Amino acid sequence: MIVKHTITSLIALLLLTVITGVLYPLLVTGIAQVAFPAKANGSLLTVRGKTVGSVLIGQPFSDPKYFWSRLSATAPYPFNAGSSTGSNLGPTNPALLDEVQGRLTDLRKADSLNALPVPVDLVTSSSSGLDPDISPSAAAYQVGRVARARGIGEDAVRALVDANTRERTFGLLGEPRVNVLALNLALDESAAWKGGK
Amino acid sequence: MTPNGFLQIGLYLAVLVALVKPLGAFMARVYKREKTFLDPVFGPLERLIYRLARIDAAREMDWKENAVAMLLFNAAGFLLVYLMQRVQHLLPLNPEGMGPVSADSSFNTAVSFVTNTNWQGYGGETTMSYLTQMAALTAQNFISAATGMALLALIIRGFARHSATTLGNFWVDMTRSTLYILLPLSIVFAVVLVSQGVPQNFSPYAHAQFVDPPRDTSGAFVKEQVIATGPVASQIAIKQLGTNGGGFFNANSAHPFENPTPLTDFLEELAILLIAAALCYTYGQMVGDTRQGWALLVAMTLILVAMLGVCYWAEGAPNVLLNGHGIDQSAGNMEGKEVRFGVANSALWATVTTSASNGSVNAMHDSFSPLGGMIPLIAMHLGEVVFGGVGSGLYGMLVFVIVAVFVAGLLVGRTPEYLGHKVESFEMKMASLLILIMPITVLLLTALAVVTSDGRGAIANPGAHGFSEILYVFTSQGNNNGSAFAGVSVNTPFYNIMGAVAMLIGRYWLAIPTLALAGALARKKLVPAGEGTLPTHTPLFVFWLIAVVLIVGALNFLPALALGPVVEYFMMIH
């Protein structure tokens, strides 16, 4: 009985490994590359022939003229999409308070006139370390700073925020959100902004 | 807690329940070997496997022979996964040049994926070649899930049959689970995932120019962002459907490439419970009384909803330690959560993934509030019987049914019976063994880790939270869940080996006595239901079963929980 079932085990394992571990991923890859090539290859964004990121993967920003993303705990640099991780700080860990206060200080230093309460997603680390989004209120908090740093009107900035805001799917699923990389690229490309470059 | 959050959760439960009957009835046809609409596609493949692997599909086996077949098959799978990791640098499809995985990590991962745990001591995108991810890990996602489902089919026949010696053929049930249930669902789901942005390619990692280059820890500017991709969608689809939970990336389903949109989040959450829930209906059909299956599903769902309520409430509340700094905490506890999911979907996922023995995460449980993080622990402490792993969850729940029937029988002084089987001393010995072994394993290993420097060295957060981290490690592996309080540094020989022990006990020490129990039930003569028979499909029995599950789970782990999350909660609010 043992010998018979051992032989069956080995052959069945080999066959099922080929079917589910080789043929199945190849089939899905074939369908994906034909039907959704851009998405299957990582939804990469290109500006003037240069790959500048993926629309699904966040990037860090520290210049006041850009909207800032959430905090990222990846190493050795933030938003390292080759090594995703969260901070894993527990709710009572003093290091969590340090992290939050550090971000608050940076935000207020860059925008000392802003007395609005800071939305919580802007002072906390995301789960993946790669969160591409901030909440609409976190974007609203930063509109004044970005407009001043670029010397353009707040309304122009706000219009771009709105254009890069996604509501809940079907008005129901998930949360409203603003894609930070897409928004910042749109700011750099906008007609109102002639600085930089 | 917001009206929209409740609406999302309500919609989730409604869609899940609506899918139970169609999928459950289909799976019953698969296990009864009746014709299905997939026969023209997969029938020839099925027969080819039987012919090449020398499987006599017409022959039924008793519980012992089925157990031997299952163990040998899983042992072969373990060896293959272990070897592939050790020599992956010599094999093709390794564009990032990943080196061989260490012996203890390969051992832990091989045990982990064969036992349907999918605990991950490694980070996927920094450790595994594409070939290892596919042929070793994705394949075991199918095979370990199909093993659990085949075991369930055998065990259900034990509950359904009378005066019989055989339970069916493991090889046939395992092959049919793969070809007719897991594979077609995965193909469709994987393509849907790609349409939302989950990558599926064999290219090297992408390199992008940062728009506003950040500095690394040494202070130097970093110009390029490395973006890991690969054959992701095909692995994510089966990882959720098969209650596996092992991520392609380290951040698991929080990673935007594993779970890019609210729609993928909804569908992946659905996939986590889909098969486990539908198997309740399959069970009802196979024992000839669908009310029996619905009763179990109702009991599971009520426990799930209660835990979900606590978790959502706890995560929706602000962290009181952050009060007074001018922070708007109306969005809840956002540390370790993604903006696109928010608190409602993070709490829903955490409860669902630990109720089912899935273990994937879309938010970091280590950063949950004390009581919010206690819910995943409790969900696992109940023994992964609230939905649980595909197959294994339901056969675990059937053991609790036996215990519930037995205790009820004692209370009224009647011989306990279930579905026309007398429950006698052998069945109760097996059931007691099953219920005791998990808490003993989890608590002893936790105690061992807490008193050794190897164990304590892994802790990431100070105080009571550190204890919770260790308790979570062994709770997760001892119940074949695989989720983590991920701050712990568990990729060490101590944790890799102790964890593997917990996973092996959690899987096989439960599966084999349950098979024996089913074998014993099948041999019994039919006892016609009489006036004293306790009906097992009524609301009364549902609540009785819930009480038994909760009391057993609570009694075993209350002291440990008091030392971890409960202490942390009281320290936080003071």
Side-chain angles (χ1 to χ4, degrees):
Chain A
M1 177 170 89
I2 303 254
V3 175
K4 199 186 86 187
H5 284 301
T6 304
I7 294 169
T8 298
S9 289
L10 295 174
I11 301 172
L13 176 68
L14 188 75
L15 293 171
L16 287 173
T17 296
V18 169
I19 293 170
T20 64
V22 179
L23 298 179
Y24 155 70
L26 286 178
L27 172 71
V28 175
T29 308
I31 299 172
Q33 291 290 342
V34 171
F36 313 102
K39 286 176 167 162
N41 292 315
S43 309
L44 298 176
L45 288 169
T46 312
V47 174
R48 285 180 280 278
K50 254 189 350 189
T51 304
V52 294
S54 161
V55 74
L56 294 175
I57 304 288
Q59 285 189 9
F61 294 92
S62 55
D63 192 319
K65 73 175 191 233
Y66 288 119
F67 282 86
W68 294 0
S69 301
R70 303 188 62 198
L71 294 174
S72 163
T74 64
Y77 60 92
F79 289 86
N80 177 0
S83 186
S84 56
T85 186
S87 76
N88 285 308
L89 293 175
T92 58
N93 193 331
L96 175 66
L97 193 59
D98 291 347
E99 172 198 275
V100 169
Q101 280 177 328
R103 191 59 183 297
L104 282 172
T105 307
D106 290 346
L107 283 166
R108 288 182 178 143
K109 205 158 72 185
D111 191 9
S112 53
L113 302 172
N114 194 342
L116 292 171
V118 183
V120 67
D121 57 301
L122 213 47
V123 294
T124 47
S125 304
S126 65
S127 179
S128 60
L130 307 173
D131 197 338
D133 303 313
I134 53 177
S135 65
S137 58
Y141 175 85
Q142 303 183 68
V143 163
R145 185 195 74 221
V146 172
R148 238 174 302 123
R150 289 180 183 257
I152 57 177
E154 289 192 10
D155 286 346
V157 176
R158 214 167 276 127
L160 285 176
V161 170
D162 289 345
N164 286 282
T165 301
R166 296 188 70 177
E167 294 302 326
R168 291 192 171 100
T169 309
F170 315 130
L172 178 65
L173 298 180
E175 300 295 333
R177 59 207 191 273
V178 181
N179 187 303
V180 180
L181 178 60
L183 171 60
N184 284 332
L185 289 174
L187 273 169
D188 279 351
E189 296 291 313
S190 75
W193 164 244
K194 304 291 182 216
K197 301 271 142 34
Chain B
M1 296 175 115
T2 62
N4 170 269
F6 286 114
L7 207 58
Q8 293 197 44
I9 290 167
L11 179 72
Y12 172 79
L13 292 171
V15 174
L16 178 69
V17 171
L19 291 171
V20 161
K21 189 173 170 183
L23 180 61
F26 173 79
M27 290 193 289
R29 295 184 70 84
V30 171
Y31 293 122
K32 290 177 180 169
R33 304 183 68 175
E34 294 169 0
K35 274 211 169 345
T36 72
F37 70 99
L38 291 171
D39 284 15
V41 187
F42 292 108
L45 197 55
E46 181 190 4
R47 289 188 290 278
L48 180 72
I49 291 173
Y50 295 157
R51 199 166 64 241
L52 292 177
R54 304 181 201 177
I55 295 164
D56 180 358
R59 181 172 158 268
E60 292 218 341
M61 309 190 285
D62 64 9
W63 78 264
K64 282 181 194 155
E65 191 174 356
N66 276 307
V68 167
M70 181 271 291
L71 284 175
L72 288 170
F73 182 57
N74 281 196
F78 161 81
L79 283 176
L80 180 70
V81 178
Y82 178 82
L83 286 175
M84 282 194 66
Q85 293 176 79
R86 300 290 287 151
V87 300
Q88 65 173 2
H89 56 298
L90 306 174
L91 300 173
L93 277 181
N94 186 8
E96 293 300 314
M98 300 293 182
V101 183
S102 75
D104 57 293
S105 177
S106 302
F107 173 66
N108 182 280
T109 302
V111 169
S112 172
F113 277 73
V114 167
T115 57
N116 198 248
T117 311
N118 300 45
W119 171 268
Q120 294 174 293
Y122 63 92
E125 70 268 48
T126 53
T127 314
M128 300 296 182
S129 76
Y130 290 167
L131 187 71
T132 310
Q133 297 264 34
M134 289 161 49
L137 304 184
T138 301
Q140 282 303 320
N141 274 280
F142 281 94
I143 288 169
S144 65
T147 296
M149 293 163 76
L151 285 172
L152 176 69
L154 297 168
I155 288 162
I156 291 177
R157 291 194 197 101
F159 279 76
R161 291 177 177 179
H162 300 275
S163 309
T165 53
T166 61
L167 299 176
N169 187 316
F170 168 78
W171 297 114
V172 172
D173 290 327
M174 188 274 300
T175 306
R176 290 179 66 83
S177 300
T178 309
L179 295 183
Y180 291 91
I181 301 168
L182 296 171
L183 195 55
L185 281 173
S186 297
I187 292 170
V188 173
F189 191 30
V191 172
V192 172
L193 289 175
V194 178
S195 78
Q196 291 288 304
V198 179
Q200 181 72 24
N201 60 63
F202 295 105
S203 314
Y205 294 172
H207 292 260
Q209 305 290 319
F210 271 123
V211 174
D212 185 10
R215 292 171 191 273
D216 66 15
T217 38
S218 69
F221 280 111
V222 181
K223 291 254 161 58
E224 274 198 345
Q225 184 181 36
V226 178
I227 301 177
T229 61
V232 184
S234 53
Q235 184 166 333
I236 302 315
I238 184 61
K239 138 187 160 175
Q240 309 300 16
L241 286 164
T243 59
N244 294 284
F248 194 93
F249 301 107
N250 187 48
N252 208 289
S253 299
H255 195 296
F257 276 167
E258 286 202 17
N259 192 0
T261 65
L263 184 61
T264 58
D265 194 68
F266 184 83
L267 295 174
E268 288 183 31
E269 278 167 339
L270 204 57
I272 290 173
L273 287 191
L274 179 64
I275 291 178
L279 280 171
C280 292
Y281 189 84
T282 308
Y283 168 72
Q285 280 215 327
M286 287 175 77
V287 298
D289 180 2
T290 49
R291 295 173 309 176
Q292 303 293 338
W294 286 116
L296 300 184
L297 184 68
V298 170
M300 292 176 178
T301 308
L302 289 177
I303 298 176
L304 177 84
V305 168
M307 293 192 295
L308 178 56
V310 176
C311 192
Y312 183 27
W313 163 77
E315 291 311 298
N319 182 342
V320 294
L321 301 179
L322 300 183
N323 286 349
H325 293 278
I327 302 168
D328 172 9
Q329 291 202 69
S330 57
N333 174 24
M334 284 303 287
E335 178 69 27
K337 294 191 179 64
E338 302 278 300
V339 167
R340 62 193 179 283
F341 308 140
V343 160
N345 283 300
S346 301
L348 176 60
W349 188 298
T351 312
V352 161
T353 194
T354 49
S355 296
S357 94
N358 184 285
S360 61
V361 295
N362 76 349
M364 291 302 149
H365 296 180
D366 215 348
S367 298
F368 272 33
S369 63
L371 296 185
M374 184 173 74
I375 292 300
L377 271 168
I378 292 177
M380 293 185 285
H381 286 159
L382 299 181
E384 294 297 14
V385 298
V386 180
F387 297 98
V390 288
S392 60
L394 186 52
Y395 65 67
M397 188 53 124
L398 288 173
V399 172
F400 273 97
V401 168
I402 295 286
V403 174
V405 166
F406 177 77
V407 177
L410 283 186
L411 290 176
V412 295
R414 298 274 315 190
T415 307
E417 52 193 81
Y418 182 58
L419 303 181
H421 305 274
K422 256 192 207 153
V423 175
E424 293 168 302
S425 75
F426 177 77
E427 291 80 51
M428 279 317 295
K429 278 182 199 157
M430 288 298 127
S432 311
L433 190 65
L434 288 163
I435 284 177
L436 287 175
I437 198 72
M438 182 276 285
I440 291 172
T441 311
V442 170
L443 292 173
L444 280 182
L445 287 173
T446 302
L448 182 68
V450 170
V451 299
T452 56
S453 56
D454 277 347
R456 287 194 305 271
I459 291 175
N461 284 285
H465 197 88
F467 176 78
S468 302
E469 287 182 339
I470 291 183
L471 178 65
Y472 202 110
V473 168
F474 292 110
T475 299
S476 174
Q477 297 187 79
N479 285 288
N480 299 132
N481 183 278
S483 67
F485 267 18
V488 287
S489 318
V490 286
N491 199 354
T492 63
F494 174 84
Y495 276 100
N496 278 332
I497 291 164
M498 291 302 155
V501 169
M503 290 188 275
L504 288 170
I505 293 174
R507 180 72 164 185
Y508 300 109
W509 208 322
L510 295 195
I512 293 168
T514 314
L515 266 181
L517 194 159
L521 287 179
R523 278 195 296 274
K524 290 176 192 283
K525 288 203 188 75
L526 176 66
V527 185
E531 267 183 27
T533 302
L534 171 72
T536 49
H537 59 268
T538 58
L540 176 69
F541 184 76
V542 168
F543 282 103
W544 177 243
L545 179 62
I546 291 173
V548 169
V549 170
L550 292 182
I551 290 168
V552 170
L555 286 183
N556 285 329
F557 288 102
L558 208 54
L561 290 175
L563 289 174
V566 175
V567 166
E568 191 187 16
Y569 173 71
F570 284 112
M571 286 173 65
M572 186 169 108
I573 61 173
H574 274 283

